[in-house]
Amino acid sequence: MASGEVVAAIAMTEPGAGSDLASMSTRALRRGDEYLIDGAKTFITNGGSADLILLAAKTEPAGGAHGVSLFLVDANDCPGFRRGRVLDKLGQHSGDTAELFFDGAAVPADCLLGEVEGQGFVQLMTQLPQERLLLAVAAAVSAQRAVDLAVDYTKNRHVFGKPLFAKQHVKFELAECATLARVAKVFVDDCVTKHLNGTLDAATASMAKYWTTDVQCQVVDRCLQLFGGNGYMREYPIAEMYANARAQRIYGGANEIMKELIARSL
């Protein structure tokens, strides 16, 4: 994976189970030296191109979160596995997002991740704060990039004989957006420091994910407005940034779920 020889995907989300992963219906039943897996996954990043799939499935259907296990699936050599559609997304077209189907897919028993069944939910939850921090980093960078693009555009775009930047409303919009981007960066930098020294808790990671992605969408939208009609044209980077930003508030745990997790810590 590190060398790029293998592309990987993580398959958690299902048509009927998104944020509530404990309710997933994909089943993995032990049969001798293999597991037979039945179920469907959707919205899987790299699903259309992955060589290796980290699959979440229920090994104990009645066990709730304690019944989830993780499996390493060789997507190029797994009888009973097939890829569905590569989904047509609003944005983020540089990466494929696909459906995956398991119809009695046979996976060797030693592809279970961990020594025993039922560790999957804990394994996933242990890594989710880092994933949410990564999304926050991307959000903070995107917000600052939107400001930079808008400042450059408004200083070079002339309206009524003067640069657009000369208008007080435009300067104030950019001042507010620049402030939001700066606060997001400082918050994320602090979270990265905590993560590196092992003190980033799940609630703070949830705060970072929800707040910075909200700020990202707000700042990109306000900056796009300053481009006028050009902001709606895909040849301008701000338009692509606008389309790409929207998913940030959904994946990695919807922002509404982040607020629920934060509230549990209060």
Side-chain angles (χ1 to χ4, degrees), residues 22-89:
S23 67
M24 69 176 63
S25 59
T26 298
R27 301 286 187 258
L29 300 179
R30 181 74 180 261
R31 291 290 185 271
D33 293 332
E34 62 185 13
Y35 284 88
L36 298 181
I37 301 175
D38 291 280
K41 300 291 183 177
T42 191
F43 305 144
I44 307 306
T45 301
N46 293 342
S49 56
D51 305 292
L52 176 68
I53 297 170
L54 179 62
L55 174 70
K58 285 284 189 71
T59 45
E60 176 51 60
H66 300 291
V68 177
S69 299
L70 299 183
F71 296 88
L72 295 171
V73 178
D74 183 348
N76 300 318
D77 184 21
C78 182
F81 164 72
R82 63 185 174 88
R83 306 177 202 264
R85 296 177 298 154
V86 172
L87 301 169
D88 186 14
K89 305 193 297 290

Side-chain angles (χ1 to χ4, degrees), residues 241-261:
M241 291 173 65
Y242 180 86
N244 291 346
R246 191 58 185 84
Q248 285 270 88
R249 291 159 58 193
I250 300 172
Y251 56 28
N255 284 4
E256 291 76 14
I257 298 298
M258 296 301 97
K259 294 174 185 178
E260 178 70 24
L261 296 175

